[in-house]
Amino acid sequence: MVVLDFSIVNVALPSIERELHMAADAVQWIVTGYAIAFGGLLILGGRAADIFGRRRMFVAGLVAFSLASLAGGLAQDPVLLIAARVVQGAGAAIVAPAALSLITTGFPEGPERTRAIGLYGAVSSVGFVAGQVLGGVLVQFTSWRAVFLVNVPVGLIAAALSPAILGPVRTAAAKTAEAAKTATTAAKTATTAAAKTASNRSRLDLRGALLITSAVTLIVFAVSQGVVLGWTSPLVIAAVVVAALATAGFAKAETRHPNPLIQLSLLHRRGLRDGTTLAFLLGLWNGGEMLVLSLYLQQVLHESPLFTGLVIAPQGVVGFMMGMLGPRLAGRIGVRRLLVLTAAAAAVGFGVLTRLPAAHYSPVLFVVTLIGFGTAGTAMGSTVLASRGMADADQGVVGGMINTSRQVGAAVGAALLPAVAQGVSGGIGVSGDRAAMLAAAVAALAATGIAWRAAHALSPRARTAS
């Protein structure tokens, strides 16, 4: 549902723009506002899942997401709609890392976990396909409001069923307290330390969350407004400077907090660094591509919302197949080699789309299947790479980091690629959309280079196992 909500809104953007009389540069904030809240709060959501219980936070996030969807579907004002999208993003930021950490802690590291993550990706691709097609159907035959309201019954039913399906809540503090109860009388000092640890673990780094969210918001604002106001605009420069200061403040705050959002020592793990970087790049090309293609098909080719969804849907179908078959392929060639293959496939697909037709549908658009293969494979591989070797107690925050990287990338892509298109064509035009696809190809090529370096940095024995 979280993935569906990202793609389903893309198809509805032109209808929202017309009905609410929104300016073209304001419409992107329906997507970007969601991505900012999602990306900025994911790490906090992941750590909260580790501390307070993954099932509990999963249910809480579903309820928040559903109520925000109701508000968005009933909104009569652009500001209220964007505000509802921000709250939706916050709910999604709780759901996503809790869901992923439920999987990574529920399966042992190795082929079994890789298959589980592959299935997770396949289900996400189903949401992607459903978003494109369902969005087109709902917008064409009902109203854009239905793309929000459809989430309400799904989210509330899922929240109601989750306690019975996912089992009892197991918080980090509760586990520590249980360990303290079993301590012997001779281990009173250890018991006191355990109680202190439980107390520390129940504290969330709210200051760190505020700083990183502020940094993400300002970065996306600077990217999206750079073309409109000019890259040397005082407002854009100020946003970049304050974002840098917030990032530095976040890093400093993490070294002082007793239970930081991110243990900085985790960043020394190369797999986590490579995995989060790859997730950022695929988010950039995927988030920007979906927005640009949706607007291109409806505004340049003048296709219907339903047809737009059907044109893009094969990308998700191939993503589903990749999620199901990718773990087997990873077992044969290794996760790192798989990442090289999938990122390169995405780059080739975007290279073809730099020749988007200026009028009428062309079979060249079927190349989105190649992008779907590359996106789904990179998503699965980067998640496996980032979660390897991590303790169960950190899987929530690792899930938050990998999702944060992808969603920050999506926020930047949703701002950057339309800005490239607008800057080149000066409005609606195929030349700008072609330039945006070239920018996406550059991001995919960068991901290919990172995956290639990771694959060739290992010894031959380790390379075979990876």
Side-chain angles (χ1 to χ4, degrees):
M1 185 176 65
V2 170
V3 175
L4 178 147
D5 209 67
F6 207 112
S7 59
I8 198 173
V9 172
N10 286 332
V11 181
L13 290 180
S15 299
I16 296 173
E17 181 179 349
R18 287 192 301 270
E19 183 172 326
L20 297 185
H21 307 292
M22 296 182 70
D25 58 349
V27 174
Q28 74 174 31
W29 284 96
I30 297 174
V31 174
T32 304
Y34 179 87
I36 288 172
F38 196 177
L41 294 171
L42 271 164
I43 295 176
L44 179 62
R47 180 55 77 191
D50 287 334
I51 294 174
F52 300 123
R54 298 179 176 97
R55 192 204 76 185
R56 179 181 289 140
M57 299 309 298
F58 182 74
V59 171
L62 282 173
V63 172
F65 187 92
S66 302
L67 295 179
S69 297
L70 178 62
L74 299 177
Q76 301 292 329
D77 181 82
V79 175
L80 294 178
L81 177 58
I82 293 173
R85 287 288 285 168
V86 171
V87 178
Q88 268 190 315
I94 299 172
V95 172
L100 184 55
S101 60
L102 280 165
I103 292 172
T104 54
T105 58
F107 295 89
E109 186 174 312
E112 192 174 354
R113 182 183 291 177
T114 300
R115 286 195 298 271
I117 292 174
L119 180 59
Y120 173 84
V123 172
S124 296
S125 295
V126 170
F128 175 85
V129 175
Q132 294 298 324
V133 179
L134 182 61
V137 170
L138 291 174
V139 173
Q140 185 150 336
F141 295 108
T142 59
S143 163
W144 63 264
R145 297 182 183 281
V147 305
F148 295 100
L149 298 177
V150 71
N151 293 325
V152 179
V154 176
L156 294 179
I157 291 171
L161 293 177
S162 293
I165 293 174
L166 298 178
V169 174
R170 297 280 292 173
T171 68
K175 291 177 181 178
T176 306
E178 287 178 12
K181 287 181 180 179
T182 59
T184 62
T185 304
K188 287 183 179 179
T189 303
T191 304
T192 302
K196 184 176 181 180
T197 301
S199 176
N200 284 339
R201 287 184 177 178
S202 66
R203 296 174 57 193
L204 283 175
D205 184 9
L206 296 178
R207 181 176 61 176
L210 178 62
L211 287 169
I212 194 64
T213 302
S214 300
V216 172
T217 302
L218 290 167
I219 288 170
V220 175
F221 173 83
V223 171
S224 63
Q225 297 301 307
V227 173
V228 178
L229 302 176
W231 295 106
T232 58
S233 164
L235 189 60
V236 172
I237 294 174
V240 172
V241 171
V242 176
L245 292 173
T247 303
F250 172 74
K252 186 175 182 180
E254 296 307 273
T255 63
R256 296 182 175 182
H257 199 279
N259 187 35
L261 288 179
I262 302 175
Q263 295 284 352
L264 296 184
S265 60
L266 294 178
L267 300 181
H268 296 304
R269 294 178 178 264
R270 183 164 187 170
L272 182 61
R273 293 201 309 270
D274 288 342
T276 52
T277 303
L278 288 168
F280 171 83
L281 290 169
L282 84 88
L284 191 155
W285 81 59
N286 191 227
E289 165 231 352
M290 294 309 308
L291 184 55
V292 170
L293 279 184
S294 293
L295 295 174
Y296 159 76
L297 286 163
Q298 295 181 72
Q299 296 180 347
V300 176
L301 300 189
H302 306 291
E303 302 290 357
S304 68
L306 176 58
F307 187 83
T308 297
L310 292 174
V311 168
I312 300 174
Q315 183 171 337
V317 174
V318 173
F320 173 78
M321 295 171 60
M322 182 60 192
M324 298 300 293
L325 301 177
R328 187 178 303 174
L329 182 59
R332 291 182 178 178
I333 68 174
V335 172
R336 288 175 172 82
R337 288 196 188 96
L338 177 67
L339 284 165
V340 175
L341 174 64
T342 55
V348 171
F350 284 121
V352 175
L353 289 184
T354 59
R355 305 306 304 164
L356 283 170
H360 309 297
Y361 172 79
S362 168
V364 73
L365 288 167
F366 200 65
V367 79
V368 296
T369 56
L370 197 59
I371 297 172
F373 169 80
T375 299
T378 304
M380 184 197 75
S382 61
T383 302
V384 172
L385 200 62
S387 62
R388 275 184 175 173
M390 297 295 179
D392 282 358
D394 291 321
Q395 288 293 344
V397 75
V398 169
M401 291 176 68
I402 196 76
N403 277 291
T404 294
S405 300
R406 181 168 181 173
Q407 295 309 319
V408 170
V412 173
L416 178 62
L417 266 62
V420 170
Q422 179 78 13
V424 171
S425 64
I428 298 173
V430 70
S431 60
D433 297 326
R434 290 171 177 171
M437 293 300 104
L438 178 60
V442 171
L445 284 173
T448 305
I450 292 170
W452 179 273
R453 185 199 63 187
H456 289 77
L458 302 174
S459 65
R461 179 181 298 177
R463 205 176 295 158
T464 301
S466 300

